[in-house]
Amino acid sequence: MRWWGMVEVEVRNLVKRFGKVVAVNHVSFKVRSGEFFFLLGPSGSGKTTVLRCIAGLEDPDEGDILIDGVRVNDVHPSQRDIAMVFQNYALYPHMTVYDNLAFPLKMRGLPKSEIEKRVRELAELLRIEELLDRKPGQLSGGQQQRVALGRALVRRPKVFLMDEPLSNLDAKLRVYMRAELKRMQKDLGITTIYVTHDQVEAMTMADRIALLNKGVLQQVGTPSEVYHRPANTFVAGFIGSPAMNFFDASVVEEQGKVLLDTGNFRLELPSDIAELVLKSGESEVILGVRPEHIKVYMEKQPDAVPARVFVVEPLGFETIIDFKVDDKVYKARYPKEVYIEPGTTIYIKFDMENIHIFRKSDGKAIV
């Protein structure tokens, strides 16, 4: 069931200020037709402001918003053919689900038969046919969420905007609704822009992610790209749970080898990585290693780094081991259940094919 045509959204050099605060700082990206595109970032990163500018609820101070190649900066929100779903659902409590879904179509003066057809089609798609005679107060959070989605979609807008729509749901329902939303978006093929601070939500649902921090666009890419090839230390630290470990290091050339010296241990770099590090000209860098790329041994190993166990976090199918090197705490994933007494010495090795190296000066990726 595809009701939508090919619609792209482009944000060009967007700037939005609130007083002296620059909430969005020269942000540019393009959302492809039919794409599930995520704006991801911590609180205050500017992601909701970008969404509100696209919707026409905020006026940009600089830059352009284009929908289907047409600049819409001066177009009233009601004329942009966009639908938006907020956190609070905004359903009419005195109306049945059917009437909530039908209301936008009645306001447009559609014939009763067309309204009936659209509401029934959408109710089937959202799996809420049996709820049409109920009122919002009789619905669960997940059911209210579906009705809110339905009311936005029933108009068949060009673009669908979502602002943290799952944040009010409990954890189990949120996981379920992620899969449902992804299925629905693919079934409909509607160009969708989704705001969230939840990186798991973005990683599991998005076609591509735009990651923002303090109003500045950090990286745009697929979930795989932002995870495996982060553009800088912010992206590397924000994406992934547990987060990437970071070690300050100096670049040392010795007897034809290139080493990273952290002060507590030295790592010899493979030739391809060494070449990139030398080419960068950086002498002080940041070594990044994800917890799953740290191997943990209970017995001493050649070239392994000794560390002390700080605490263990059992997850049943795996264990997160928090360990200390020189009083700083880092995390490793151990692929099965294990209990180790705090204070125990373990030995760690890094998967050198999966390390990341960033410039210390500005955090940008070298490797």
Side-chain angles (χ1 to χ4, degrees):
M1 188 192 296
R2 286 188 173 242
W3 299 327
W4 284 268
M6 306 291 280
V7 181
E8 288 187 342
V9 177
E10 188 173 358
V11 173
R12 287 184 187 164
N13 215 25
L14 181 66
V15 177
K16 179 62 185 174
R17 302 180 188 91
F18 295 103
K20 292 183 179 179
V21 176
V22 182
V24 180
N25 194 351
H26 296 94
V27 166
S28 298
F29 58 83
K30 185 181 277 190
V31 182
R32 298 165 187 154
S33 177
E35 188 170 37
F36 209 176
F37 190 90
F38 273 61
L39 295 172
L40 173 66
S43 296
S45 61
K47 55 193 185 296
T48 294
T49 303
V50 171
L51 199 75
R52 289 176 64 83
C53 287
I54 295 169
L57 303 176
E58 300 284 356
D59 294 322
D61 292 307
E62 295 176 37
D64 296 314
I65 308 289
L66 290 89
I67 298 174
D68 231 5
V70 177
R71 185 178 182 272
V72 296
N73 289 44
D74 303 318
V75 177
H76 191 270
S78 64
Q79 302 302 310
R80 293 191 185 191
D81 206 1
I82 276 175
M84 191 161 179
V85 172
F86 299 93
Q87 291 168 305
N88 60 1
Y89 312 147
L91 300 173
Y92 297 116
H94 61 289
M95 290 185 185
T96 64
V97 168
Y98 182 95
D99 289 334
N100 263 284
L101 294 175
F103 184 76
L105 304 180
K106 287 178 182 174
M107 294 298 289
R108 291 186 163 206
L110 264 68
K112 200 170 181 180
S113 59
E114 177 65 14
I115 291 173
E116 171 86 14
K117 178 172 173 283
R118 286 205 194 183
V119 169
R120 296 287 171 188
E121 274 184 348
L122 204 57
E124 185 182 345
L125 175 78
L126 295 169
R127 298 172 185 168
I128 53 172
E129 305 103 301
E130 75 282 3
L131 307 177
L132 291 174
D133 295 328
R134 296 191 201 175
K135 290 184 177 175
Q138 299 170 294
L139 305 179
S140 69
Q143 290 168 335
Q144 287 185 39
Q145 174 66 69
R146 286 163 191 259
V147 177
L149 292 171
R151 201 176 64 181
L153 286 169
V154 76
R155 291 194 292 105
R156 300 182 182 175
K158 284 183 178 176
V159 180
F160 198 22
L161 308 180
M162 299 187 183
D163 188 7
E164 307 239 14
L166 306 184
S167 60
N168 290 340
L169 304 180
D170 64 57
K172 189 175 180 181
L173 189 53
R174 215 161 43 234
V175 171
Y176 174 73
M177 283 302 295
R178 277 181 208 149
E180 282 293 287
L181 271 180
K182 189 171 183 177
R183 173 194 65 82
M184 183 193 76
Q185 196 274 337
K186 288 296 162 236
D187 283 352
L188 296 175
I190 182 171
T191 305
T192 304
I193 304 173
Y194 187 117
V195 161
T196 184
H197 66 276
D198 184 339
Q199 52 119 350
V200 175
E201 211 164 87
M203 293 294 283
T204 54
M205 294 168 68
D207 292 323
R208 285 190 305 146
I209 298 167
L211 192 54
L212 291 152
N213 186 38
K214 297 178 182 175
V216 178
L217 185 64
Q218 305 293 314
Q219 186 173 358
V220 178
T222 64
S224 179
E225 284 166 350
V226 296
Y227 188 82
H228 293 292
R229 295 194 295 281
N232 55 43
T233 49
F234 174 79
V235 177
F238 193 83
I239 299 287
S241 180
M244 186 181 285
N245 299 291
F246 295 114
F247 303 82
D248 290 334
S250 301
V251 179
V252 177
E253 287 186 79
E254 212 172 74
Q255 298 174 344
K257 297 175 182 176
V258 179
L259 310 170
L260 291 189
D261 188 343
T262 69
N264 294 295
F265 58 87
R266 284 180 154 201
L267 286 183
E268 183 183 340
L269 297 179
S271 57
D272 54 338
I273 295 177
E275 191 177 332
L276 291 169
V277 171
L278 290 179
K279 194 176 177 182
S280 75
E282 299 291 317
S283 58
E284 297 297 320
V285 297
I286 297 169
L287 167 67
V289 190
R290 293 206 179 275
E292 60 268 35
H293 297 140
I294 297 178
K295 294 190 176 77
V296 176
Y297 299 92
M298 305 304 160
E299 305 292 333
K300 196 168 184 178
Q301 301 284 319
D303 302 322
V305 178
R308 280 179 296 109
V309 173
F310 181 62
V311 71
V312 294
E313 304 170 46
L315 296 173
F317 63 98
E318 66 176 7
T319 305
I320 306 299
I321 300 174
D322 295 44
F323 62 90
K324 278 188 171 186
V325 175
D326 192 30
D327 285 338
K328 286 186 181 175
V329 178
Y330 305 96
K331 290 178 184 281
R333 280 185 192 274
Y334 197 73
K336 55 188 177 184
E337 200 168 17
V338 66
Y339 181 75
I340 314 167
E341 283 285 344
T344 302
T345 299
I346 56 172
Y347 300 88
I348 61 169
K349 281 187 174 184
F350 302 134
D351 178 355
M352 297 302 288
E353 294 304 311
N354 285 296
I355 64 169
H356 300 262
I357 300 172
F358 306 92
R359 298 198 309 218
K360 195 166 184 181
S361 52
D362 58 11
K364 287 187 178 175
I366 299 169
V367 177

CSV table of all heavy atoms in Angstrom, one decimal, residues 239-260:
chain,number,residue,atom,x,y,z
A,239,ILE,N,27.7,6.9,19.8
A,239,ILE,CA,27.1,5.8,19.2
A,239,ILE,C,27.8,4.5,19.7
A,239,ILE,O,29.0,4.4,19.8
A,239,ILE,CB,27.3,5.8,17.6
A,239,ILE,CG1,26.6,7.0,17.0
A,239,ILE,CG2,26.9,4.5,17.0
A,239,ILE,CD1,25.1,6.9,16.9
A,240,GLY,N,27.0,3.6,20.2
A,240,GLY,CA,27.5,2.3,20.8
A,240,GLY,C,27.2,2.3,22.3
A,240,GLY,O,27.3,3.3,23.0
A,241,SER,N,26.8,1.1,22.7
A,241,SER,CA,26.5,0.9,24.1
A,241,SER,C,27.1,-0.5,24.6
A,241,SER,O,26.6,-1.5,24.0
A,241,SER,CB,25.0,1.0,24.4
A,241,SER,OG,24.7,0.8,25.7
A,242,PRO,N,28.0,-0.5,25.5
A,242,PRO,CA,28.7,0.6,26.2
A,242,PRO,C,29.5,1.4,25.2
A,242,PRO,O,29.8,1.0,24.1
A,242,PRO,CB,29.6,-0.1,27.2
A,242,PRO,CG,29.1,-1.5,27.3
A,242,PRO,CD,28.5,-1.8,26.0
A,243,ALA,N,29.8,2.7,25.6
A,243,ALA,CA,30.5,3.6,24.7
A,243,ALA,C,31.9,3.2,24.4
A,243,ALA,O,32.5,2.3,25.1
A,243,ALA,CB,30.5,5.0,25.3
A,244,MET,N,32.5,3.7,23.4
A,244,MET,CA,33.9,3.5,23.0
A,244,MET,C,34.8,3.9,24.1
A,244,MET,O,34.6,4.9,24.8
A,244,MET,CB,34.2,4.2,21.7
A,244,MET,CG,35.6,3.9,21.2
A,244,MET,SD,36.0,4.8,19.6
A,244,MET,CE,35.1,4.0,18.4
A,245,ASN,N,35.9,3.2,24.3
A,245,ASN,CA,37.0,3.6,25.3
A,245,ASN,C,38.0,4.5,24.6
A,245,ASN,O,38.3,4.3,23.4
A,245,ASN,CB,37.7,2.3,25.8
A,245,ASN,CG,36.8,1.4,26.5
A,245,ASN,OD1,36.3,1.6,27.6
A,245,ASN,ND2,36.6,0.2,25.9
A,246,PHE,N,38.4,5.5,25.3
A,246,PHE,CA,39.4,6.5,24.7
A,246,PHE,C,40.7,6.5,25.6
A,246,PHE,O,40.6,6.6,26.8
A,246,PHE,CB,38.8,7.9,24.6
A,246,PHE,CG,37.7,8.0,23.7
A,246,PHE,CD1,36.4,8.3,24.1
A,246,PHE,CD2,37.9,7.8,22.3
A,246,PHE,CE1,35.3,8.4,23.3
A,246,PHE,CE2,36.8,7.9,21.4
A,246,PHE,CZ,35.5,8.2,21.9
A,247,PHE,N,41.8,6.4,24.9
A,247,PHE,CA,43.1,6.5,25.6
A,247,PHE,C,44.0,7.6,25.0
A,247,PHE,O,44.1,7.7,23.7
A,247,PHE,CB,43.9,5.2,25.5
A,247,PHE,CG,43.2,4.0,26.0
A,247,PHE,CD1,42.3,3.3,25.2
A,247,PHE,CD2,43.5,3.5,27.2
A,247,PHE,CE1,41.6,2.2,25.6
A,247,PHE,CE2,42.9,2.3,27.7
A,247,PHE,CZ,41.9,1.7,26.9
A,248,ASP,N,44.5,8.6,25.7
A,248,ASP,CA,45.4,9.6,25.2
A,248,ASP,C,46.7,8.9,24.9
A,248,ASP,O,47.2,8.0,25.7
A,248,ASP,CB,45.7,10.7,26.2
A,248,ASP,CG,44.4,11.6,26.4
A,248,ASP,OD1,43.6,11.7,25.5
A,248,ASP,OD2,44.3,12.2,27.5
A,249,ALA,N,47.3,9.2,23.8
A,249,ALA,CA,48.6,8.6,23.4
A,249,ALA,C,49.5,9.5,22.6
A,249,ALA,O,49.0,10.4,21.9
A,249,ALA,CB,48.2,7.3,22.5
A,250,SER,N,50.8,9.2,22.6
A,250,SER,CA,51.8,9.9,21.8
A,250,SER,C,52.2,9.0,20.7
A,250,SER,O,52.3,7.8,20.9
A,250,SER,CB,53.0,10.3,22.7
A,250,SER,OG,52.6,11.1,23.7
A,251,VAL,N,52.5,9.6,19.5
A,251,VAL,CA,53.0,8.8,18.4
A,251,VAL,C,54.5,8.7,18.5
A,251,VAL,O,55.2,9.7,18.6
A,251,VAL,CB,52.6,9.4,17.1
A,251,VAL,CG1,53.1,8.6,15.9
A,251,VAL,CG2,51.0,9.5,17.0
A,252,VAL,N,55.1,7.5,18.5
A,252,VAL,CA,56.5,7.3,18.6
A,252,VAL,C,57.0,6.5,17.5
A,252,VAL,O,56.4,5.4,17.1
A,252,VAL,CB,56.8,6.6,20.0
A,252,VAL,CG1,58.3,6.3,20.1
A,252,VAL,CG2,56.3,7.4,21.2
A,253,GLU,N,58.1,6.9,16.8
A,253,GLU,CA,58.7,6.2,15.8
A,253,GLU,C,60.0,5.6,16.4
A,253,GLU,O,60.8,6.3,17.0
A,253,GLU,CB,59.1,7.0,14.6
A,253,GLU,CG,57.9,7.4,13.8
A,253,GLU,CD,58.4,8.2,12.5
A,253,GLU,OE1,58.8,7.5,11.5
A,253,GLU,OE2,58.3,9.4,12.5
A,254,GLU,N,60.2,4.2,16.2
A,254,GLU,CA,61.3,3.6,16.9
A,254,GLU,C,61.7,2.3,16.1
A,254,GLU,O,60.9,1.5,15.8
A,254,GLU,CB,60.9,3.1,18.3
A,254,GLU,CG,61.9,3.1,19.3
A,254,GLU,CD,61.4,2.9,20.7
A,254,GLU,OE1,61.0,1.7,21.0
A,254,GLU,OE2,61.3,3.8,21.5
A,255,GLN,N,62.9,2.3,15.6
A,255,GLN,CA,63.5,1.2,14.8
A,255,GLN,C,62.6,0.8,13.7
A,255,GLN,O,62.2,-0.4,13.5
A,255,GLN,CB,63.7,0.0,15.8
A,255,GLN,CG,64.8,0.3,16.9
A,255,GLN,CD,64.9,-0.8,17.9
A,255,GLN,OE1,64.1,-1.7,18.0
A,255,GLN,NE2,66.0,-0.7,18.6
A,256,GLY,N,62.1,1.8,12.9
A,256,GLY,CA,61.2,1.5,11.8
A,256,GLY,C,59.8,1.1,12.1
A,256,GLY,O,59.0,0.8,11.2
A,257,LYS,N,59.5,1.2,13.4
A,257,LYS,CA,58.1,0.9,13.8
A,257,LYS,C,57.4,2.2,14.3
A,257,LYS,O,58.1,3.1,14.7
A,257,LYS,CB,58.1,-0.1,15.0
A,257,LYS,CG,58.7,-1.5,14.6
A,257,LYS,CD,58.7,-2.4,15.8
A,257,LYS,CE,59.4,-3.7,15.5
A,257,LYS,NZ,59.5,-4.6,16.7
A,258,VAL,N,56.1,2.2,14.2
A,258,VAL,CA,55.3,3.3,14.7
A,258,VAL,C,54.5,2.7,15.9
A,258,VAL,O,53.7,1.8,15.8
A,258,VAL,CB,54.3,3.9,13.6
A,258,VAL,CG1,53.5,5.0,14.2
A,258,VAL,CG2,55.2,4.4,12.5
A,259,LEU,N,54.7,3.4,17.0
A,259,LEU,CA,54.0,2.9,18.3
A,259,LEU,C,53.1,4.0,18.8
A,259,LEU,O,53.3,5.2,18.6
A,259,LEU,CB,55.1,2.6,19.3
A,259,LEU,CG,56.2,1.7,19.0
A,259,LEU,CD1,57.3,1.7,20.0
A,259,LEU,CD2,55.7,0.3,18.7
A,260,LEU,N,52.1,3.6,19.5
A,260,LEU,CA,51.3,4.5,20.4
A,260,LEU,C,51.7,4.3,21.8
A,260,LEU,O,51.6,3.2,22.3
A,260,LEU,CB,49.8,4.3,20.2
A,260,LEU,CG,49.1,4.6,18.8
A,260,LEU,CD1,47.6,4.5,18.9
A,260,LEU,CD2,49.5,6.0,18.3
